[in-house]
Coordinates of all heavy atoms in Angstrom, one line a residue:
L57 N 100.2 152.2 42.6 CA 98.8 152.3 42.2 C 97.9 151.3 43.0 O 98.3 150.2 43.2 CB 98.7 152.0 40.7 CG 97.3 152.2 40.0 CD1 97.5 152.6 38.6 CD2 96.4 150.9 40.1
S58 N 96.8 151.8 43.5 CA 95.8 151.0 44.3 C 96.5 150.5 45.5 O 97.0 151.3 46.4 CB 95.3 149.8 43.4 OG 94.1 149.3 44.0
L59 N 96.6 149.1 45.7 CA 97.4 148.6 46.9 C 98.8 149.1 46.9 O 99.3 149.5 48.0 CB 97.3 147.1 46.9 CG 98.2 146.4 47.9 CD1 97.8 146.7 49.3 CD2 98.1 144.8 47.7
G60 N 99.4 149.2 45.8 CA 100.8 149.8 45.7 C 100.8 151.2 46.2 O 101.8 151.6 46.8
G61 N 99.8 152.0 45.9 CA 99.7 153.4 46.4 C 99.6 153.4 47.9 O 100.2 154.2 48.6
A62 N 98.8 152.4 48.5 CA 98.7 152.4 49.9 C 100.1 152.0 50.6 O 100.5 152.6 51.6 CB 97.7 151.3 50.3
V63 N 100.8 151.1 50.0 CA 102.1 150.8 50.5 C 103.1 152.0 50.4 O 103.8 152.3 51.3 CB 102.7 149.6 49.7 CG1 104.2 149.3 50.1 CG2 101.9 148.3 49.9
A64 N 103.0 152.7 49.3 CA 103.8 153.9 49.1 C 103.6 155.0 50.1 O 104.5 155.6 50.7 CB 103.7 154.4 47.7
M65 N 102.3 155.2 50.3 CA 102.0 156.3 51.3 C 102.3 155.9 52.7 O 102.8 156.7 53.5 CB 100.5 156.8 51.2 CG 99.4 155.9 51.7 SD 97.8 156.7 51.5 CE 97.4 156.2 49.8
H66 N 102.1 154.6 53.1 CA 102.5 154.1 54.4 C 104.1 154.3 54.6 O 104.5 154.7 55.6 CB 102.1 152.7 54.6 CG 102.4 152.2 56.0 ND1 101.5 152.2 57.0 CD2 103.5 151.6 56.5 CE1 102.1 151.7 58.1 NE2 103.3 151.3 57.8
F67 N 104.8 153.9 53.5 CA 106.3 154.0 53.6 C 106.7 155.5 53.7 O 107.5 155.8 54.5 CB 106.9 153.4 52.3 CG 108.4 153.3 52.4 CD1 109.0 152.2 52.8 CD2 109.1 154.4 51.9 CE1 110.4 152.1 52.8 CE2 110.5 154.3 51.9 CZ 111.2 153.2 52.4
A68 N 106.0 156.3 53.0 CA 106.4 157.8 53.0 C 106.1 158.4 54.3 O 106.8 159.3 54.7 CB 105.7 158.5 51.8
A69 N 105.0 158.0 54.9 CA 104.7 158.5 56.3 C 105.6 158.0 57.4 O 105.9 158.7 58.3 CB 103.2 158.2 56.6
G70 N 106.0 156.7 57.2 CA 106.8 156.1 58.3 C 108.3 156.4 58.1 O 109.0 156.4 59.2
A71 N 108.7 156.6 56.9 CA 110.2 156.9 56.7 C 110.3 158.1 55.7 O 110.8 157.9 54.6 CB 110.9 155.7 56.2
P72 N 109.9 159.3 56.1 CA 109.9 160.4 55.2 C 111.2 160.8 54.7 O 111.4 161.3 53.6 CB 109.2 161.5 56.0 CG 109.4 161.1 57.5 CD 109.3 159.6 57.5
E73 N 112.3 160.5 55.5 CA 113.6 160.8 55.1 C 114.1 160.0 53.9 O 115.1 160.3 53.2 CB 114.6 160.6 56.3 CG 114.9 159.2 56.7 CD 113.8 158.5 57.4 OE1 112.8 159.2 57.8 OE2 113.9 157.3 57.7
R74 N 113.4 158.9 53.6 CA 113.8 158.0 52.5 C 113.1 158.3 51.2 O 113.4 157.6 50.2 CB 113.6 156.5 52.9 CG 114.4 156.1 54.2 CD 114.4 154.6 54.3 NE 115.2 154.0 53.3 CZ 115.6 152.7 53.4 NH1 115.1 151.9 54.4 NH2 116.3 152.1 52.5
V75 N 112.1 159.2 51.2 CA 111.3 159.4 50.0 C 111.5 160.8 49.5 O 111.2 161.8 50.1 CB 109.8 159.2 50.3 CG1 108.9 159.4 49.1 CG2 109.6 157.8 50.9
E76 N 112.0 160.8 48.2 CA 112.3 162.1 47.6 C 111.0 162.7 47.0 O 110.7 163.9 47.2 CB 113.3 161.9 46.5 CG 113.8 163.2 45.8 CD 115.0 163.0 44.9 OE1 115.7 162.0 45.1 OE2 115.2 163.9 44.0
R77 N 110.3 161.9 46.2 CA 109.0 162.3 45.6 C 108.1 161.2 45.6 O 108.5 160.0 45.6 CB 109.2 162.9 44.2 CG 110.0 164.2 44.2 CD 110.1 164.8 42.8 NE 110.8 166.1 42.9 CZ 110.3 167.2 43.2 NH1 109.0 167.3 43.4 NH2 111.0 168.3 43.3
L78 N 106.8 161.5 45.7 CA 105.8 160.5 45.9 C 104.7 160.6 44.8 O 104.2 161.7 44.6 CB 105.2 160.6 47.3 CG 104.1 159.6 47.7 CD1 104.7 158.2 47.8 CD2 103.5 160.0 49.1
V79 N 104.3 159.5 44.2 CA 103.2 159.5 43.2 C 102.2 158.4 43.7 O 102.6 157.2 43.7 CB 103.6 159.3 41.8 CG1 102.4 159.3 40.8 CG2 104.6 160.3 41.3
L80 N 101.0 158.8 43.9 CA 99.9 157.9 44.4 C 98.8 157.9 43.4 O 98.2 158.9 43.1 CB 99.4 158.4 45.7 CG 100.4 158.6 46.9 CD1 99.8 159.3 48.1 CD2 101.1 157.3 47.2
A81 N 98.6 156.7 42.8 CA 97.7 156.6 41.6 C 96.5 155.7 42.0 O 96.7 154.6 42.5 CB 98.4 156.1 40.4
C82 N 95.3 156.2 41.7 CA 94.1 155.4 41.9 C 94.1 154.6 43.2 O 93.9 153.4 43.3 CB 94.0 154.4 40.7 SG 94.0 155.2 39.1
T83 N 94.3 155.4 44.3 CA 94.4 154.8 45.6 C 93.7 155.7 46.6 O 93.1 156.7 46.2 CB 95.9 154.6 46.0 OG1 96.0 153.8 47.1 CG2 96.6 155.9 46.1
A84 N 93.7 155.3 47.9 CA 93.0 156.1 48.9 C 93.6 155.9 50.2 O 94.3 154.9 50.5 CB 91.5 155.6 49.0
A85 N 93.4 156.9 51.1 CA 93.9 156.7 52.5 C 93.0 155.7 53.2 O 93.5 155.1 54.2 CB 93.9 158.1 53.2
R86 N 91.8 155.6 52.9 CA 90.8 154.6 53.3 C 90.0 154.2 52.2 O 89.2 155.0 51.6 CB 90.0 155.1 54.5 CG 88.9 154.2 55.0 CD 89.5 153.0 55.7 NE 88.4 152.1 56.3 CZ 88.6 150.9 56.6 NH1 89.8 150.3 56.4 NH2 87.7 150.2 57.2
F87 N 90.1 153.0 51.7 CA 89.4 152.6 50.5 C 87.8 152.5 50.7 O 87.4 152.0 51.8 CB 89.9 151.2 50.0 CG 91.2 151.3 49.4 CD1 92.4 151.4 50.1 CD2 91.3 151.3 48.0 CE1 93.6 151.4 49.5 CE2 92.5 151.3 47.3 CZ 93.7 151.4 48.1
P88 N 87.1 153.0 49.8 CA 85.6 153.0 49.9 C 85.1 151.5 49.9 O 85.8 150.6 49.3 CB 85.1 153.7 48.7 CG 86.3 154.5 48.2 CD 87.5 153.8 48.6

Side-chain angles (χ1 to χ4, degrees):
L57 187 149
S58 196
L59 172 58
V63 173
M65 75 179 83
H66 184 93
F67 187 92
E73 73 284 354
R74 300 194 71 171
V75 181
E76 184 172 340
R77 292 185 178 275
L78 182 65
V79 179
L80 304 173
C82 304
T83 191
R86 174 67 173 163
F87 284 79

